[in-house]
Amino acid sequence: MDMTSHMTSHFNDAIDALKASSRELSEPLSVAVDLVFGSLANNGKILACGNGGSAADAQHFIAELVGRFERDRLPLGGVALNTDTSILTAVGNDYGFDAIFERQVAALGQPGDVLVAISTSGNSTNIIRAIEAAHDREMPVIAFTGKGGGKINEILYETDIHLCVPHDRTMRIQEVHIVLLHALCDGIDALLLGDTL
């Protein structure tokens, strides 16, 4: 095996995934920026959740809101639902793992808040139940998926935004998700602070 060629193929595949995503997702991503900005501007908050690498992405995204992205600004309201081990273990123990995000959305979510739901497969049951809870709370959803969107694609409302990466490999989907999340942060800052591009 030529390891250098093997590594080069990763860069080329990632570039192709990003180009395909740019063609398909730039417009819905711009709508997502407006949705999140509108929520935050009206004292709403962003709830985010995911499993595994997607949990890390949810936590990363919320850190960019509450802390800062690239420029100093006031903190923006957000909660990563996968970070409180006491809630996760209590709810997981008492109600099952599938309820860990649903219960938090029901407890914390209000109309006008936004749920950012991340699942590379689109089939994570606990993410699906969180989306259903958000709908019950009259919260719009921004779903980050891949692989065609899975079951999540079937339950989203017309008022929700689906950012489905046009790829089937989990690593490529996760790589594009972080670009999408960074672009979302940059768009919010551009609306708050002025565009620097």
Side-chain angles (χ1 to χ4, degrees), residues 48-62 80 82-83 97 101 116-121 124 126-127 144-145 170-179 181:
C49 57
N51 297 288
S54 298
D57 288 346
Q59 188 171 344
H60 181 164
F61 174 58
I62 295 301
N82 42 262
T83 59
F97 186 71
F101 302 135
V116 172
I118 310 174
S119 170
T120 57
S121 68
S124 302
N126 57 12
I127 301 296
F144 288 74
T145 69
T170 298
M171 73 167 93
R172 295 287 97 91
I173 296 164
Q174 290 175 329
E175 289 159 2
V176 176
H177 280 177
I178 198 63
V179 172
L181 289 165

Side-chain angles (χ1 to χ4, degrees), residues 13-50:
D13 193 36
I15 290 166
D16 290 343
L18 285 166
K19 285 183 177 179
S21 297
S22 172
R23 289 189 295 271
E24 293 189 24
L25 302 180
S26 291
E27 184 176 349
L29 182 59
S30 67
V31 176
V33 170
D34 289 336
L35 178 63
V36 172
F37 178 78
S39 174
L40 294 169
N42 287 288
N43 295 315
K45 61 186 172 298
I46 312 305
L47 304 180
C49 57

Side-chain angles (χ1 to χ4, degrees), residues 78-127:
V79 179
L81 304 179
N82 42 262
T83 59
D84 189 322
T85 55
S86 292
I87 291 175
L88 296 177
T89 54
V91 173
N93 185 61
D94 293 344
Y95 298 97
F97 186 71
D98 291 343
I100 60 173
F101 302 135
E102 172 191 27
R103 297 283 294 185
Q104 293 183 77
V105 172
L108 302 172
Q110 298 293 327
D113 293 344
V114 175
L115 176 68
V116 172
I118 310 174
S119 170
T120 57
S121 68
N123 292 319
S124 302
T125 302
N126 57 12
I127 301 296

Side-chain angles (χ1 to χ4, degrees), residues 68-80:
R68 68 173 201 156
F69 184 53
E70 293 188 320
R71 294 183 278 171
D72 285 329
R73 55 155 163 71
L74 292 173
L76 303 174
V79 179

Side-chain angles (χ1 to χ4, degrees), residues 26 29-30 33 69-71 179 182-191 193-197:
S26 291
L29 182 59
S30 67
V33 170
F69 184 53
E70 293 188 320
R71 294 183 278 171
V179 172
H182 278 162
L184 183 55
C185 291
D186 181 71
I188 294 164
D189 278 6
L191 291 175
L193 305 170
D195 195 355
T196 60
L197 295 178

Side-chain angles (χ1 to χ4, degrees), residues 121-144:
S121 68
N123 292 319
S124 302
T125 302
N126 57 12
I127 301 296
I128 290 168
R129 288 177 58 171
I131 290 170
E132 292 169 344
H135 289 157
D136 289 344
R137 304 292 288 173
E138 299 179 10
M139 295 170 55
V141 175
I142 304 173
F144 288 74

